[in-house]
Amino acid sequence: EAQVTQNPRYLITVTGKKLTVTCSQNMNHEYMSWYRQDPGLGLRQIYYSMNVEVTDKGDVPEGYKVSRKEKRNFPLILESPSPNQTSLYFCASTPGYTDTQYFGPGTRLTVL
Amino acid sequence: AQSVSQHNHHVILSEAASLELGCNYSYGGTVNLFWYVQYPGQHLQLLLKYFSGDPLVKGIKGFEAEFIKSKFSFNLRKPSVQWSDTAEYFCAVTTYSSASKIIFGSGTRLSIRP
């Protein structure tokens, strides 16, 4: 089944404790993105990747890092999480950057 | 700067009512347009999309949208809503510029009274 998976689905952590949210897709898509969803703000793009080892900042990259060492995986790293990063995070992949986005199930992160 | 506006933040309708959700974008070049839906507790999924051709696009579950280039709009419509249409709806635009990116609107929450 074609899908985007994310782990963990729920995470509660404390300020400053490094964490990684994994994202994997099995559709051989070149493009992958991370978004955060906040009430009233819709989805805002954090980072995106056009291919292996090629990444670029989205609209809200501060406090986040990404890597793309393999085509299927695109982890999101929070080196020192802060409470304002409490949000719902979605990973997505797409065959072409202007094409349909396929979203993962989301990761609800709470930073205390 | 490019942007997408969804002016209806929360729409409440009764079953069988007609629906129209507004979406306007600000970009003068070629665009691809999308409507995504997020049912409660679920991830976003594509409802319909417009790339080119007939500006009236039909999607899943009886939804349709019309691209009006002169108005920079891509409004979503459904003639008769059902309780199961309760969800959040997001309009999105991708552009063919040197800095191609996808821009989402802030979303419209649709509540259907049974």
Side-chain angles (χ1 to χ4, degrees), chain B:
Chain B
Q2 300 157 12
S3 64
V4 176
S5 298
Q6 292 182 245
H7 302 294
N8 312 109
H9 298 294
H10 189 193
V11 173
I12 303 173
L13 296 172
S14 297
E15 277 196 313
S18 64
L19 169 72
E20 181 160 3
L21 301 182
C23 172
N24 289 90
Y25 64 94
S26 63
Y27 181 70
T30 303
V31 294
N32 289 345
L33 299 153
F34 304 82
W35 276 98
Y36 289 88
V37 60
Q38 185 179 31
Y39 297 105
Q42 296 188 26
H43 61 282
L44 279 83
Q45 54 189 287
L46 182 70
L47 202 53
L48 51 78
K49 62 184 178 184
Y50 171 81
F51 282 8
S52 64
D54 188 344
L56 185 61
V57 180
K58 295 196 185 299
I60 60 172
K61 303 186 179 185
F63 285 91
E64 64 178 32
E66 185 175 12
F67 170 48
I68 303 180
K69 191 174 182 179
S70 60
K71 294 185 178 180
F72 298 91
S73 70
F74 190 55
N75 292 354
L76 181 71
R77 301 194 292 246
K78 185 171 184 178
S80 176
V81 294
Q82 302 171 304
W83 180 80
S84 58
D85 293 325
T86 296
E88 189 151 18
Y89 293 81
F90 293 92
C91 182
V93 173
T94 59
T95 64
Y96 288 87
S97 68
S98 59
S100 295
K101 61 186 299 182
I102 182 166
I103 307 162
F104 282 87
S106 57
T108 297
R109 186 156 64 100
L110 176 64
S111 300
I112 304 298
R113 291 190 290 249

Side-chain angles (χ1 to χ4, degrees), chain A residues 2-107:
Chain A
Q3 60 182 349
V4 178
T5 57
Q6 292 178 230
N7 282 292
R9 295 288 313 279
Y10 302 91
L11 179 60
I12 301 174
T13 189
V14 295
T15 300
K17 186 176 181 182
K18 181 180 177 180
L19 66 92
T20 299
V21 184
T22 64
C23 172
S24 184
Q25 52 98 0
N26 62 1
M27 294 170 279
N28 202 36
H29 288 167
E30 291 190 347
Y31 294 88
M32 298 184 74
S33 300
W34 275 103
Y35 300 88
R36 60 177 290 173
Q37 183 181 12
D38 300 290
L41 298 177
L43 272 80
R44 293 179 293 168
Q45 192 176 54
I46 302 170
Y47 268 95
Y48 63 97
S49 169
M50 292 78 80
N51 213 325
V52 175
E53 302 290 4
V54 183
T55 64
D56 205 351
K57 296 176 181 178
D59 296 318
V60 288
E62 294 78 21
Y64 304 95
K65 284 175 56 178
V66 293
S67 70
R68 188 93 180 272
K69 292 184 169 55
E70 304 166 283
K71 197 171 187 179
R72 63 184 292 124
N73 296 324
F74 190 44
L76 179 70
I77 303 155
L78 284 72
E79 294 271 4
S80 182
S82 61
N84 64 13
Q85 292 178 298
T86 292
S87 187
L88 179 58
Y89 291 86
F90 288 101
C91 179
S93 73
T94 178
Y97 200 61
T98 54
D99 209 328
T100 304
Q101 303 265 327
Y102 294 84
F103 287 88
T107 295

